[in-house]
Amino acid sequence: MAARLLPSWVWVTGLTAGATVAVVFLAVQADKGPHPTAAAARPSASAPAAAHPSASPKPTKAPDVPAASGTGRRVVYSLGAKRVWTVDASDKATRTFTVWPGTVSPDPGTYTISKTLSATTGSDGVQIEHVLYFAAKSGLSVAFSNAADGASPPPATAGKQTSGIRMRKADGAALWTFGTEPNTKVTVVK
């Protein structure tokens, strides 16, 4: 009985499939374990070519305390920057961080923290903590706070007025420690 030869297209298809299987096999094998020398030798696909994996990010300079924010120990709140600073008696910023303001903002001026609550429910229905009241506007009390679960506030519902100035949990705890000292001033600037 004579041997039957296969058409050439079958051979080409078979070779292509075999090559594909081999490439996939090698890729899977290469991806199975850490390759510290390979990872250190080339940057990731998402990193710029000049980036070096072991280089630490350059720290960004925190914005300076606004010039027209008074003197002495105080909390400074910038409406435009959505930022808070704690400032010690020597006028040195001890901490600064961004915040999420409500829909009602206090007017620029100087206030004193008038009431503190360790925890309550905010005007938006969220459980909050580290609450420092310092102003009132449009019939609402304005206060710094953080969500008890550490989440950022959801966008305000259309037509709903909120006056809480929310921050991250760690910032809320730090501001609470700073702001619960008697007669702590809050300066609000544009």
Side-chain angles (χ1 to χ4, degrees):
M1 186 170 196
R4 186 169 158 199
L5 294 174
L6 296 173
S8 62
W9 66 269
V10 172
W11 284 98
V12 170
T13 303
L15 288 173
T16 303
T20 302
V21 168
V23 168
V24 169
F25 173 78
L26 291 173
V28 168
Q29 293 301 315
D31 207 29
K32 279 191 174 180
H35 302 285
T37 51
R42 66 175 198 274
S44 70
S46 62
H52 188 279
S54 64
S56 58
K58 293 180 182 175
T60 56
K61 183 182 180 304
D64 291 333
V65 177
S69 66
T71 59
R73 187 180 186 285
R74 66 198 182 281
V75 174
V76 177
Y77 171 43
S78 170
L79 299 168
K82 298 179 183 174
R83 179 171 287 277
V84 169
W85 291 261
T86 55
V87 183
D88 66 15
S90 68
D91 284 325
K92 180 182 177 217
T94 57
R95 187 179 187 105
T96 185
F97 50 89
T98 56
V99 295
W100 298 282
T103 59
V104 175
S105 295
D107 292 323
T110 301
Y111 305 88
T112 301
I113 293 178
S114 56
K115 181 180 176 183
T116 61
L117 281 176
S118 59
T120 191
T121 302
S123 58
D124 56 359
V126 173
Q127 292 298 308
I128 57 175
E129 60 187 6
H130 304 124
V131 188
L132 301 167
Y133 293 94
F134 66 93
K137 186 169 179 186
S138 301
L140 297 173
S141 296
V142 179
F144 296 114
S145 65
N146 64 270
D149 67 2
S152 64
T157 308
K160 175 130 173 112
Q161 291 189 324
T162 59
S163 58
I165 302 162
R166 298 282 168 76
M167 59 204 67
R168 290 169 191 81
K169 194 172 181 94
D171 295 327
L175 188 59
W176 174 262
T177 300
F178 187 90
T180 52
E181 189 170 304
N183 301 314
T184 298
K185 300 287 185 205
V186 176
T187 303
V188 179
V189 298
K190 289 183 182 183

